[in-house]
Amino acid sequence: MHEESELVTGEAVVLDLHVAKLASRALAMVLDVLVQFALLLGTFFVLTLTVPGEDESLALTLILVFLVLIMVGYPVLFETLSRGRSLGKMAVGLRVVRVDGGPIRFRHALTRGLAGFVIDFWALGVFGAVAVIVSLCSSDGRRVGDFLAGTLVVRDRAPESVAYPAIGMPPGLEGWAARLDLTRLPDDLALASRQFLARFGQLAPEASHALGWKLAQQVGNALGTPVPPGVPPWAFLAAVLAERRNRDHARAVRAYAAQVAAARGQLPPDQAGYAATGGQAYAASQAQPSPWSAASAGPSLWPAAAGPAAASAGPGFAGSAAEGDAPTPPSGTPAPPAENPFTPPG
């Protein structure tokens, strides 16, 4: 079974979905069956206490009704309310989505639930044999219920070992990025941009171009600045995030240096917070020996910044820039040519 899908949306954008393997789906199914079996046992126990023993027809009718409600209603209810996740899928980290990558609705969950009860697993499914055979024959691991509902089971949980790579400042954008007002950039939009850059080399070219342009437009609207002409979206986003990181590091350096200066008596403790923001009191304290001087700081622990970005980062940070180290684009992506006009997707 393939690890990733090759689905294409109506806009001809190739989706990058990590398809759930048969083993993980089987484990989620086993957990759901255990929950359903526990619900059935509880229901039977309640019925034996409440239904008269001489009325066998009533007891049989109630048993059949609750059997269908639990075997069909349980997955339909959970997948509808949680947007594609039953208890078993939550535990394993799976989710049911539409073939276009969108969240499922009640009609999708109902179709999957009815097909699972009748065809895939219980009534005609020979205890799941039909679902296993159909999944093995499908490139995306879809069972009969998935084909009828137009759905797909994907991995919803990213591996914990995955880390975001360091983002460098693209050459030529240092001065432009230094003049940005990054206080207007929302944290969730910055995180989405960082995730895009981390997966840039794994996306199909059409998907990376469309998603990158969309994020670049959103970031540009938030900052009140358009994408510079000829700059691809990944370079625009990388410049914004690299400058944001450099300024955060510079503020951390100033705050720590102010605390050290206050501890040594070089700065009143009540002015330490003001000095951390770059006030005049901190500027006056720079006349005293600083723990960040070249003689005592030792090797720099801060990422290098190039050009004006390092000079504008604040005291104690400009010295950490490594001259001549040209930042590189995201992993697996070559640097663009000198003249590469950027056009939005059609």
Side-chain angles (χ1 to χ4, degrees), residues 289-300 316 319:
S290 172
W292 300 101
S293 60
S296 60
S300 174

Side-chain angles (χ1 to χ4, degrees), residues 203-296:
L203 297 174
E206 298 84 358
S208 62
H209 182 71
L211 182 57
W213 171 254
K214 181 179 179 181
L215 288 173
Q217 290 283 55
Q218 293 177 356
V219 172
N221 293 335
L223 299 179
T225 179
V227 180
V231 176
W234 69 260
F236 171 79
L237 297 174
V240 172
L241 294 181
E243 179 65 20
R244 190 173 190 255
R245 178 203 60 206
N246 293 344
R247 295 184 187 181
D248 289 341
H249 287 175
R251 282 193 294 268
V253 169
R254 290 198 299 266
Y256 184 76
Q259 294 176 3
V260 173
R264 293 180 175 179
Q266 301 168 359
L267 187 67
D270 57 347
Q271 297 183 8
Y274 176 65
T277 62
Q280 297 179 355
Y282 176 73
S285 69
Q286 295 306 296
Q288 302 294 334
S290 172
W292 300 101
S293 60
S296 60

Side-chain angles (χ1 to χ4, degrees), residues 5-89:
S5 70
E6 298 179 353
L7 302 176
V8 182
T9 66
E11 293 78 16
V13 176
V14 181
L15 295 180
D16 181 42
L17 300 178
H18 295 276
V19 178
K21 294 184 178 180
L22 181 60
S24 59
R25 295 189 62 176
L27 177 59
M29 182 63 188
V30 170
L31 296 177
D32 287 330
V33 169
L34 292 177
V35 174
Q36 291 172 315
F37 183 71
L39 293 176
L40 287 176
L41 287 181
T43 301
F44 292 158
F45 178 75
V46 173
L47 291 178
T48 55
L49 297 179
T50 57
V51 178
E54 61 274 7
D55 196 348
E56 297 180 357
S57 60
L58 177 60
L60 180 60
T61 301
L62 291 177
I63 290 176
L64 291 177
V65 169
F66 280 102
L67 177 64
V68 174
L69 287 177
I70 293 176
M71 301 305 294
V72 178
Y74 164 82
V76 173
L77 178 64
F78 272 92
E79 291 183 0
T80 301
L81 297 179
S82 62
R83 296 297 185 91
R85 295 188 300 172
S86 61
L87 292 179
K89 291 182 176 64

Side-chain angles (χ1 to χ4, degrees), residues 61-339:
T61 301
L62 291 177
I63 290 176
L64 291 177
V65 169
F66 280 102
L67 177 64
V68 174
L69 287 177
I70 293 176
M71 301 305 294
V72 178
Y74 164 82
V76 173
L77 178 64
F78 272 92
E79 291 183 0
T80 301
L81 297 179
S82 62
R83 296 297 185 91
R85 295 188 300 172
S86 61
L87 292 179
K89 291 182 176 64
M90 290 181 186
V92 181
L94 306 181
R95 182 186 292 272
V96 182
V97 298
R98 301 196 307 261
V99 291
D100 60 355
I104 66 172
R105 299 183 178 179
F106 172 75
R107 64 177 183 272
H108 305 98
L110 180 60
T111 303
R112 296 185 78 257
L114 292 175
F117 179 78
V118 178
I119 303 176
D120 285 319
F121 300 108
W122 308 118
L124 304 176
V126 195
F127 299 99
V130 173
V132 172
I133 294 175
V134 175
S135 297
L136 292 176
C137 295
S138 171
S139 60
D140 294 324
R142 302 165 67 188
R143 59 178 176 88
V144 177
D146 291 317
F147 283 105
L148 295 178
T151 57
L152 179 71
V153 180
V154 299
R155 291 188 300 172
D156 189 43
R157 183 181 304 162
E160 297 181 357
S161 58
V162 176
Y164 296 132
I167 298 176
M169 176 67 71
L173 296 179
E174 301 89 347
W176 170 83
R179 297 189 296 269
L180 294 176
D181 181 11
L182 300 181
T183 59
R184 304 166 59 182
L185 181 62
D187 292 337
D188 56 347
L189 187 55
L191 177 60
S193 302
R194 181 175 295 275
Q195 292 174 341
F196 165 74
L197 293 177
R199 303 177 58 210
F200 183 84
Q202 304 173 4
L203 297 174
E206 298 84 358
S208 62
H209 182 71
L211 182 57
W213 171 254
K214 181 179 179 181
L215 288 173
Q217 290 283 55
Q218 293 177 356
V219 172
N221 293 335
L223 299 179
T225 179
V227 180
V231 176
W234 69 260
F236 171 79
L237 297 174
V240 172
L241 294 181
E243 179 65 20
R244 190 173 190 255
R245 178 203 60 206
N246 293 344
R247 295 184 187 181
D248 289 341
H249 287 175
R251 282 193 294 268
V253 169
R254 290 198 299 266
Y256 184 76
Q259 294 176 3
V260 173
R264 293 180 175 179
Q266 301 168 359
L267 187 67
D270 57 347
Q271 297 183 8
Y274 176 65
T277 62
Q280 297 179 355
Y282 176 73
S285 69
Q286 295 306 296
Q288 302 294 334
S290 172
W292 300 101
S293 60
S296 60
S300 174
L301 300 177
W302 301 99
S312 63
F317 183 78
S320 66
E323 297 181 358
D325 293 342
T328 58
S331 176
T333 305
E339 296 183 359

